Amino acid sequence: MNKNHALFTQAQQYIPGGVNSPVRAFHGVGGEPIFIKAAKGPYMYDVNDKAYIDYVGSWGPMIAGHSHDRVLQAVHAAVDQGLSFGTPAEAEITLAEKVCRMIPSVDLVRMVNSGTEATMSAIRLARGFTGRDKIIKFEGCYHGHADSFLVKAGSGVVTLGIPGSPGVPKATADLTLTVPFNNLDAVKQVMAEHGDDVAAIIIEPIAGNMNMIEPLPGYLQGLREICDQQGSVLIFDEVMTGFRVARGGAQELYGITPDLTTFGKIIGGGLPVGAFGGRREIMEYIAPQGPVYQAGTLSGNPLAMAAGSAMMDIISEPGFYDYLSAQAKKLTDGLQQVADNAGVPFATRQQGGMFGLFFADKAANNFDELETCDLGHFKRFFHGMLDHGVYLAPSAYEAGFISSQHNDIIIETTLEAAREAIKA
Ligand SMILES: Cc1ncc(COP(=O)(O)O)c(C=O)c1O
Ligand SMILES: N[C@H](C=O)CCC(=O)O
């Protein structure tokens, strides 16, 4: 670990906490973060040349495995044409058209540089469109780090045990109303009091920032109906689930049409991209067509558009999601078997290439239920897996991701590591 330790020590001299995003710091599991120097297919390689089977996939984008040849070729070709133009370019249309075709609820789409930019812009648009200020979000959902979302948020916010964040003006936080996930009555109650002021309900249709929590039957439909009744905009934050749980995202999986959708991660093929899109009538409120301002110096960057476009082609191959889903199921079923054999309370969830692991008798349906999971077991399991060359998300609150490069041998190697980790 010497080289890794030296790098972490050095990193902390120049970078807050030694990391550029908090969950990476291993505070959720203890120990020092692993410094990675390269990644290919299902593997990442650390600075000490140790290989890890990767179930984080750069937090989602690497659905086709790391350094996929077609993505690399597309980026190399784009590099030769120039790094950034700050003008419209054909590559932007190419990706936008693919997204609109894959996600029928999206008539128009605006490219940005991160998931946070996408969600932040989507709520501004919803506010501008409705002329209302309040939003409803769900406990344990994470929509990036914009001020309005750092209220009872998941991901690093909950991993670090921060209820909200200093620096967010109270006046802003007060406009974010929070309710428990999977509880329609709670939404109705809040709407009964604040409905006329609620611009939008924003939700991760499958929550992936408090482990993995699926909507109960009828829940998303209920939110759709409430928004229709109240004239509020329904925003599906599919930064994580988009192109991950199905080609058309969670909205395709559950057959619910949101007004706006936010994207990130896979849409950029591993480069920094986000996007928000939806109903034409709402999207036309965005500048320059409409009055709601939103902009970006590097938005629609040609390298990012090329990577995203190549990724959209890869995931559009016939059978891509059948295989991805089958491999993810083999993994979760296998892990369940390992835990059962060892007599360890354990449960899993899986949709497409996304999964959740719970050290509890059953998988949670909301944030409060999640708190009953055994965090100590998770930490020990995480480190056992790491020792045996398997990289899981370093927090019990994060979903796991599999790629199309995780073949049967990779899954079996992972299960062997799990047997050892659980035994230990
Ligand atoms: C559901 C969801 N929304 C928004 C974001 C923010 O995206 P980014 O980290 O690219 O800003 C994330 C991830 O961080 C996410 O998982
Ligand atoms: N849970 C986050 C996004 O999905 C993890 C990425 C990060 O914040 O660094």
Side-chain angles (χ1 to χ4, degrees), residues 179-316:
V179 284
F181 198 89
N182 269 331
N183 183 340
L184 266 187
D185 286 341
V187 181
K188 285 177 189 159
Q189 266 172 28
V190 171
M191 276 295 195
E193 197 179 337
H194 301 276
D196 291 347
D197 299 327
V198 172
I201 295 182
I202 183 164
I203 186 165
E204 292 180 70
I206 298 176
N209 287 289
M210 48 171 162
N211 205 318
M212 177 177 169
I213 299 190
E214 279 185 276
L216 292 171
Y219 184 59
L220 296 177
Q221 178 62 36
L223 295 181
R224 176 68 278 173
E225 285 161 15
I226 291 170
C227 282
D228 289 342
Q229 282 155 15
Q230 296 288 340
S232 306
V233 175
L234 180 61
I235 305 174
F236 276 8
D237 178 357
E238 298 230 41
V239 166
M240 189 182 278
T241 53
F243 316 108
R244 162 68 56 191
V245 295
R247 188 166 169 268
Q251 53 196 270
E252 176 185 285
L253 200 64
Y254 299 113
I256 307 295
T257 305
D259 299 304
L260 293 178
T261 305
T262 55
F263 302 98
K265 302 185 189 276
I266 294 171
I267 200 175
L271 269 70
V273 183
F276 62 102
R279 255 169 56 202
R280 179 175 298 276
E281 183 197 3
I282 305 179
M283 288 303 289
E284 284 181 348
Y285 258 67
I286 281 286
Q289 209 162 356
V292 176
Y293 200 71
Q294 190 282 326
T297 301
L298 292 174
S299 294
N301 172 268
L303 310 193
M305 296 299 100
S309 256
M311 187 59 89
M312 295 300 111
D313 292 345
I314 295 166
I315 64 175
S316 297

Side-chain angles (χ1 to χ4, degrees), residues 95-237:
L95 181 55
E97 187 179 352
K98 286 176 186 173
V99 172
C100 291
R101 285 183 193 280
M102 291 161 92
I103 316 284
S105 71
V106 174
D107 298 325
L108 295 172
V109 60
R110 169 65 58 88
M111 299 295 166
V112 294
N113 302 290
S114 69
T116 299
E117 270 190 64
T119 51
M120 181 186 80
S121 307
I123 57 157
R124 184 183 306 139
L125 175 57
R127 285 171 165 155
F129 179 74
T130 57
R132 303 171 179 181
D133 286 342
K134 293 183 178 160
I135 60 163
I136 293 180
K137 83 171 273 291
F138 297 88
E139 290 169 10
C141 280
Y142 178 71
H143 304 290
H145 64 91
D147 285 355
S148 298
F149 303 125
L150 294 179
V151 184
K152 294 194 180 171
S155 188
V157 184
V158 63
T159 301
L160 299 182
I162 306 170
S165 175
V168 174
K170 184 177 178 306
T172 304
D174 285 349
L175 294 175
T176 302
L177 312 172
T178 56
V179 284
F181 198 89
N182 269 331
N183 183 340
L184 266 187
D185 286 341
V187 181
K188 285 177 189 159
Q189 266 172 28
V190 171
M191 276 295 195
E193 197 179 337
H194 301 276
D196 291 347
D197 299 327
V198 172
I201 295 182
I202 183 164
I203 186 165
E204 292 180 70
I206 298 176
N209 287 289
M210 48 171 162
N211 205 318
M212 177 177 169
I213 299 190
E214 279 185 276
L216 292 171
Y219 184 59
L220 296 177
Q221 178 62 36
L223 295 181
R224 176 68 278 173
E225 285 161 15
I226 291 170
C227 282
D228 289 342
Q229 282 155 15
Q230 296 288 340
S232 306
V233 175
L234 180 61
I235 305 174
F236 276 8
D237 178 357

